[in-house]
């Protein structure tokens, strides 16, 4: 008879065996497939920079791109999708409703603006970017309509804490399928991950590389040296073995390629534990309970 921790480790190992490459997907609670690994495009300028990066990513196997109306580069993302040889239905495109557009009617309008910029006739995932007090429930109603109308395959949230999710779930007719939050070894979000798992909400990590702050970490460097991998690759692998969808951003071709080259090694349970121990509950981004934008 296996003890419970052996059972859960076995379960995680089986999930990892299903992750063969950058195109491997997780089945969300609504049955849709979402790639485990995607390219984040925050801080890439619209036009040639974002076009080049998205094209490079797609040519190197990526299928998932994470943008937002706030990033002001949806047009470039759309152009790269259009010029790509990969059919639209094989791509997975996420965008987000910005805070100042929240509310029922304003969300529907903002969605149309995003879709015009992206040049798409359906979206894969639409997220509420931040839990704006007094607004996110109305906003969610609009997302439910967009989903029912067939314009968005999946709807979800971002930067929601457990109490935001509990509040939303009281009235929601459709459950969010994804919660995209700041998550990296300095902020491992164990409690939120467990809550989301219990509700069938897939966790997705933003700033998985802590925007570069972890790249000189000695523990990660030592683990990487053993496998001939960079610290960034070790962190991305840690995400995957924790069944966390991850969207590292790079505007450099060799890093876009390297960040997806994480399917040919496996961290041991001891190494996973060493990385877990780096947690300091330290945010590099804003606190979802205390933001003013
Ligand atoms: N929902 C939200 O509120 C929210 C907030 C923030 C971010 N996001 C999403 O999450 C994505 C990722 O987060 P992020 O962009 O904040 O940060 P990140 O992915 O943690 O880190 C990006 C930084 O790491 C560098 N980098 C990437 N790969 C590297 C490698 N292999 N070796 C060394 N350095 C590397 C990049 O530089 P180069 O570009 O020069 O390679 C960049 O400076 C965003 O792009 C966005 O899509 C969402």
């Amino acid at each position: 008879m296996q003890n419970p921790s052996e059972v859960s480790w076995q379960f995680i190992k089986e999930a990892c065996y299903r992750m063969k490459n950058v195109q491997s997907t997780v089945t969300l609670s609504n049955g849709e497939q979402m790639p485990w690994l995607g390219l984040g495009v925050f801080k890439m300028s619209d036009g040639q920079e974002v076009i080049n990066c998205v094209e490079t990513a797609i040519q190197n196997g990526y299928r998932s791109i994470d943008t937002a109306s706030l990033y002001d580069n949806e047009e470039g993302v759309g152009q790269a999708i259009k010029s790509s040889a990969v059919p639209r239905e094989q791509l997975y495109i996420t965008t987000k409703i910005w805070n100042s557009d929240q509310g029922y009617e304003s969300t529907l309008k903002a969605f149309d603006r995003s879709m015009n910029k992206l040049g798409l006739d359906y979206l894969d995932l639409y997220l509420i970017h931040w839990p704006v007090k007094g607004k996110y429930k109305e906003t969610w109603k609009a997302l439910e309509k967009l989903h029912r109308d067939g314009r968005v395959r999946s709807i979800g949230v971002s930067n929601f804490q457990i109490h935001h999710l509990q509040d939303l779930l009281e009235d929601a007719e459709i459950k969010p399928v994804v919660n995209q939050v700041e998550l990296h070894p300095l902020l491992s979000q164990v409690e939120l991950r467990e809550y989301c798992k219990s509700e069938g909400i897939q966790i997705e990590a933003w700033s998985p590389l802590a925007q570069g702050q972890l790249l000189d970490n000695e523990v990660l460097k030592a683990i990487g040296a053993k496998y001939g991998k960079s610290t960034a690759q070790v962190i991305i692998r840690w995400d995957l073995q924790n069944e966390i969808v991850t969207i590292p951003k790079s505007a450099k071709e060799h890093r876009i390629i390297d960040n997806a080259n994480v399917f040919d090694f496996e961290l041991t349970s001891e190494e996973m534990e060493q990385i877990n121990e780096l947690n300091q509950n330290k945010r590099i981004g804003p606190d979802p309970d205390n933001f003013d934008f």
Side-chain angles (χ1 to χ4, degrees), residues 88-105:
R88 162 68 186 102
E89 60 276 12
Q90 289 179 24
L91 298 172
Y92 193 93
I93 311 302
T94 301
T95 194
K96 314 182 190 88
I97 169 85
W98 184 239
N99 299 355
S100 53
D101 291 321
Q102 286 200 37
Y104 186 82
E105 291 299 335

Side-chain angles (χ1 to χ4, degrees), residues 254-285:
H254 68 284
R255 290 179 176 167
I256 293 174
I257 295 169
D258 283 355
N259 290 348
N261 186 10
V262 292
F263 295 91
D264 57 353
F265 74 114
E266 189 177 326
L267 300 170
T268 64
S269 51
E270 292 75 24
E271 288 159 350
M272 291 294 285
E273 198 45 48
Q274 276 181 286
I275 304 173
N276 293 343
E277 283 168 11
L278 298 177
N279 181 43
Q280 299 173 14
N281 295 324
K282 184 183 164 198
R283 289 184 188 280
I284 52 165

Side-chain angles (χ1 to χ4, degrees), residues 31-209:
E32 293 289 329
Q33 301 292 313
M34 177 180 195
W36 286 105
L37 182 50
L39 179 75
V41 300
F42 185 36
K43 294 186 182 158
M44 288 185 196
S45 51
D46 207 6
Q48 218 45 56
E49 182 179 46
V50 80
I51 293 173
N52 289 347
C53 293
V54 173
E55 283 179 354
T56 298
I58 294 174
Q59 280 159 14
N60 286 284
Y62 285 72
R63 293 295 175 263
S64 171
I65 308 295
D66 181 86
T67 185
S69 62
L70 177 77
Y71 305 167
D72 204 16
N73 57 20
E74 289 170 312
E75 251 175 71
V77 170
Q79 281 180 47
I81 294 168
K82 208 169 167 190
S83 65
S84 155
V86 174
R88 162 68 186 102
E89 60 276 12
Q90 289 179 24
L91 298 172
Y92 193 93
I93 311 302
T94 301
T95 194
K96 314 182 190 88
I97 169 85
W98 184 239
N99 299 355
S100 53
D101 291 321
Q102 286 200 37
Y104 186 82
E105 291 299 335
S106 45
T107 294
L108 297 177
K109 284 185 188 138
F111 177 78
D112 283 339
R113 285 198 299 276
S114 283
M115 293 301 276
N116 285 337
K117 287 184 182 169
L118 287 163
L120 300 178
D121 55 10
Y122 74 89
L123 186 69
D124 296 280
L125 179 63
Y126 200 36
L127 301 177
I128 299 183
H129 210 145
W130 287 86
V132 176
K133 255 192 206 152
K135 285 280 178 80
Y136 62 74
K137 284 195 179 187
E138 269 181 81
T139 305
W140 187 252
K141 294 273 165 238
L143 265 60
E144 289 179 329
K145 175 179 167 50
L146 292 167
H147 178 63
R148 284 199 192 94
D149 291 350
R151 304 197 64 199
V152 187
R153 300 257 158 106
S154 296
I155 53 177
V157 294
S158 176
N159 298 302
F160 274 48
Q161 308 270 53
I162 293 175
H163 70 91
H164 295 121
L165 288 166
Q166 286 169 332
D167 185 42
L168 185 71
L169 290 177
E170 275 178 18
D171 300 319
E173 289 172 19
I174 301 171
K175 249 189 182 182
V177 294
V178 165
N179 186 15
Q180 183 187 108
V181 295
E182 181 182 343
L183 198 161
H184 41 70
L186 299 176
L187 178 71
S188 57
Q189 301 264 31
V190 171
E191 209 190 331
L192 180 62
R193 276 159 55 193
E194 280 169 6
Y195 174 78
C196 285
K197 194 172 180 119
S198 73
E199 290 292 344
I201 300 169
Q202 175 63 46
I203 281 276
E204 179 176 18
W206 66 251
S207 293
L209 307 176

